[in-house]
Amino acid sequence: MKRIIILITLFILSGFSFIIQAQSEAENPKKTVATIIGGVSYVPKLHYYGRTDQLKSSAVMPTVLVQFDSVGLYFTGSTVFTTNTTQPLEYAATVTEVGYKFGKKQGIAGSIYGDKFFYQNKTLVQSALQGQAGLNLSHLNKVANVNLTSIAAFSDKTDFFASVGLEHPFVMKTGQSVFVITPTAVANAGTQSFTNTYFKNNKFLGIPVSNQSTTQTTQVFNLLSYEFSVPMVWVYNNIFLVVTPGYVMPQNELTTSGNTEVVSRTGTNLFYVNLSLLYSFKLKKV
């Protein structure tokens, strides 16, 4: 199996934020014990800040979210199945998250969360990451929401990531349907120390790579990518269809020497369209 970069940036979680917003626009919900959202997502081009494997692998991700509305706590679980031109669909990883959401529709809102990763195949580049903790903050306003994210990711060493983004949701209602479209622009930065753990245990693209030659590069906090997307959520009753076209431009790709050759992660400007079909229901108080 070729080296595959899993999309740990949790496209599905970002999609849920639009889904929950769309649901609040679609109805005036009564007090509930919990909201449960389950379904499946298709990611045609797996990438990590624009870095992909050579075969441009795809993924199918069954996902469930449980949110305890009155206290702001939530839990998500996603199972990742990957496929490409040389292999059939196979189980690759499971991602779990526990978090706390706070804030209102206008003003400061955000979430604090922790992720745990479980990998079936240790040749996955991000299998060096055992888990991560993050903080999302948003300034919600009528002009453009400003989003800030900081992440600490844990392997043999700790990597730090940060992103800043702008978005503006447009909401349209037609009968029982609600349509939300949210143009979004994000800049991502961070370190890449976890790659040394991967290089130490694996050959990269079949070539022995020197761990020492990458140490200084991977510990530098650099711009990693620019990403532009337009998440679109269509809501009808409790059914959600999420279509997310996007364009990512990787920056400061890691390059290191192996023997007499120079190898680097495969990263080029990438257009993608992610899809999700989900169903939501509420556990109401008696």
Side-chain angles (χ1 to χ4, degrees):
M1 177 179 177
K2 297 293 184 180
R3 278 57 170 165
I4 298 171
I5 301 179
I6 293 292
L7 181 65
I8 297 300
T9 47
L10 295 180
F11 141 77
I12 296 173
L13 290 180
S14 63
F16 279 144
S17 67
F18 300 111
I19 293 170
I20 293 171
Q21 176 184 359
Q23 190 175 41
S24 68
E25 295 287 347
E27 59 182 15
N28 183 17
K30 298 179 181 179
K31 291 291 186 179
T32 61
V33 176
T35 298
I36 300 175
I37 301 175
V40 62
S41 296
Y42 173 64
V43 181
K45 296 178 181 178
L46 281 172
H47 74 90
Y48 188 69
Y49 299 119
R51 284 80 169 158
T52 68
D53 66 289
Q54 285 186 314
L55 297 176
K56 300 292 191 297
S57 297
S58 303
V60 176
M61 302 182 184
T63 301
V64 63
L65 176 147
V66 180
Q67 178 170 297
F68 298 95
D69 303 308
S70 60
V71 294
L73 295 175
Y74 69 89
F75 168 82
T76 69
S78 298
T79 303
V80 182
F81 296 89
T82 60
T83 184
N84 54 49
T85 56
T86 65
Q87 71 177 39
L89 194 68
E90 69 175 15
Y91 169 67
T94 296
V95 181
T96 61
E97 177 167 314
V98 177
Y100 170 73
K101 299 182 70 174
F102 56 88
K104 301 179 180 180
K105 291 184 179 180
Q106 296 295 326
I108 301 298
S111 63
I112 302 172
Y113 63 90
D115 298 325
K116 179 62 178 176
F117 310 136
F118 304 91
Y119 293 93
Q120 174 67 20
N121 194 326
K122 294 299 183 181
T123 62
L124 300 180
V125 173
Q126 289 175 251
S127 63
L129 296 179
Q130 302 167 10
Q132 65 183 28
L135 170 65
N136 297 323
L137 289 175
S138 298
H139 180 252
L140 307 178
N141 58 84
K142 295 181 179 180
V143 178
N145 299 331
V146 181
N147 301 316
L148 302 174
T149 299
S150 61
I151 297 172
F154 310 109
S155 56
D156 285 356
K157 294 184 178 181
T158 300
D159 279 302
F160 296 97
F161 303 97
S163 66
V164 57
L166 295 174
E167 66 180 27
H168 182 82
F170 298 91
V171 181
M172 292 157 277
K173 298 180 182 179
T174 304
Q176 293 183 323
S177 297
V178 176
F179 184 71
V180 180
I181 179 170
T182 309
T184 304
V186 180
N188 300 297
T191 60
Q192 300 181 72
S193 295
F194 72 92
T195 55
N196 280 334
T197 302
Y198 173 77
F199 287 150
K200 181 172 60 178
N201 297 319
N202 300 277
K203 296 178 182 179
F204 185 68
L205 304 180
I207 302 172
V209 179
S210 170
N211 177 47
Q212 294 180 349
S213 67
T214 67
T215 300
Q216 183 175 359
T217 302
T218 59
Q219 291 178 351
V220 175
F221 193 89
N222 275 327
L223 180 66
L224 297 180
S225 68
Y226 296 107
E227 189 161 3
F228 305 92
S229 61
V230 187
M232 295 176 284
V233 182
W234 177 69
V235 186
Y236 181 78
N237 291 332
N238 295 323
I239 299 173
F240 301 82
L241 175 63
V242 186
V243 180
T244 306
Y247 188 73
V248 60
M249 298 181 292
Q251 308 291 315
N252 293 306
E253 293 177 69
L254 179 65
T255 300
T256 184
S257 60
N259 293 336
T260 60
E261 301 186 49
V262 174
V263 296
S264 66
R265 288 186 201 291
T266 303
T268 58
N269 293 355
L270 181 69
F271 175 77
Y272 60 85
V273 180
N274 297 332
L275 304 172
S276 291
L277 182 62
L278 305 139
Y279 180 79
S280 170
F281 65 93
K282 293 180 179 293
L283 300 178
K284 297 183 180 295
K285 292 183 179 179
V286 179

